[in-house]
Amino acid sequence: MVRVLTGALSLLLLAACGKQDTQLGQGGSVVSGSAGPAGSHNASQALMKCEAPVATLALVENPRGYTYGGANGLPETPLPLVRLLAQQSGCFRVVDRNAGLRQTIQEQELKDAGILRQQGSTVHKGKGYEAQYALTPSLTFSQMDAGRQVGGLLAQIPVLKNFVGAAEQVKLKEAQVALMLVDTETTEQVAAATGSVRVTDLGVGGIVLGGVSAAGAGWSNSAEGKVIAAAFLDAHNQLVVQVRELQAKALPAPIPTRKGG
């Protein structure tokens, strides 16, 4: 009987092999959706917005990078997520000073070299928009496992030693970031904001503290990048409060879009 059950279980496992459940739009981080001619779409409900853009904005890389103070296995830069937040909020018209700009310059060079068509070409000099503000993101710190520290502190207190094992299952994932906004005409830093987030992962089964069960109330394991993305969302919201007080600058004409959506 045991052999029959074992064989049946093996067949079920083999039948399940190779099958994947793909769910579009699931996973990811709190920074989600899109921005463009249709406006902000499927953005986080926590994202703060402006009624109208106040200026053009370029996002620039932090010269110190983003891999210090933790950042294990992170992408090279958070700029794509911060760019999306900036456009979804509607506070700025976003211009590219990174990969998109390099491609624009390449297209102009190809035209100047006679490789691209000349008549009817849409690649022309002097059509770029100036960046009236520059925004620099910075990762202040990232700590993904503070549970061991909690357990170490409890171990030093005699009456709490019995809780050390439970406390070490608690992982506090924390991150703090900063955003610096500079007026490119005057070089003045006109606004700065920090953002932070803490994710409490209770591990398997949860723990009981103060007579209140914490089982089932914790967050699931979160990759470091997701925690940092949430911190940037918080920092952006803090920045929007300041941006709303800025006097709007003269903006270039928007790119024409198809009427009626």
Side-chain angles (χ1 to χ4, degrees):
M1 183 66 178
V2 173
R3 290 183 178 179
V4 174
L5 291 175
T6 303
L9 179 60
S10 299
L11 289 175
L12 288 173
L13 292 174
L14 288 173
C17 288
K19 291 185 178 180
Q20 295 182 349
D21 183 13
T22 302
Q23 298 179 343
L24 297 180
Q26 303 301 312
S29 70
V30 294
V31 183
S32 62
S34 64
S40 177
H41 180 65
N42 283 340
S44 169
Q45 293 183 355
L47 178 66
M48 294 180 63
K49 300 180 180 181
C50 298
E51 294 183 359
V54 299
T56 56
L57 175 74
L59 282 89
V60 295
E61 294 284 10
N62 187 322
R64 295 179 59 189
Y66 307 93
T67 58
Y68 53 90
N72 299 316
L74 285 179
E76 292 182 358
T77 171
L79 237 60
L81 289 181
V82 181
R83 287 168 59 90
L84 176 60
L85 289 173
Q87 189 167 1
Q88 284 181 330
S89 70
C91 295
F92 296 100
R93 299 266 300 278
V94 182
V95 297
D96 196 313
R97 291 297 182 265
N98 296 284
L101 175 60
R102 291 193 292 272
Q103 188 61 40
T104 298
I105 294 174
Q106 179 178 321
E107 293 301 306
Q108 185 62 56
E109 291 174 345
L110 290 173
K111 181 181 179 182
D112 293 343
I115 297 175
L116 300 184
R117 60 179 182 168
Q118 300 295 320
Q119 186 175 0
S121 173
T122 60
V123 178
H124 299 290
K125 293 181 179 179
K127 296 183 67 176
Y129 298 159
E130 70 275 13
Q132 297 164 321
Y133 288 102
L135 184 66
T136 304
S138 174
L139 173 61
T140 307
F141 77 86
S142 174
Q143 187 175 10
M144 292 299 107
D145 188 2
R148 297 179 186 274
Q149 296 181 12
V150 174
L153 291 174
L154 293 181
Q156 299 175 25
I157 306 174
V159 296
L160 297 180
K161 283 186 177 181
N162 293 335
F163 291 98
V164 171
E168 287 184 344
Q169 295 185 40
V170 181
K171 297 179 181 179
L172 302 179
K173 306 172 189 293
E174 299 179 332
Q176 184 180 45
V177 300
L179 295 173
M180 308 297 174
L181 185 67
V182 173
D183 188 319
T184 58
E185 180 180 2
T186 64
T187 73
E188 178 185 6
Q189 179 175 298
V190 295
T194 62
S196 60
V197 67
R198 171 183 290 178
V199 177
T200 304
D201 180 5
L202 299 179
V204 180
I207 61 175
V208 178
L209 295 176
V212 180
S213 173
W219 294 61
S220 61
N221 287 330
S222 230
E224 187 170 3
K226 294 181 180 180
V227 178
I228 294 174
F232 274 117
L233 174 61
D234 182 46
H236 183 273
N237 285 345
Q238 305 297 331
L239 187 70
V240 168
V241 175
Q242 305 298 330
V243 170
R244 288 172 174 172
E245 300 301 317
L246 292 176
Q247 184 176 355
K249 296 192 176 187
L251 293 171
I255 296 175
T257 58
R258 180 167 53 90
K259 294 183 178 180

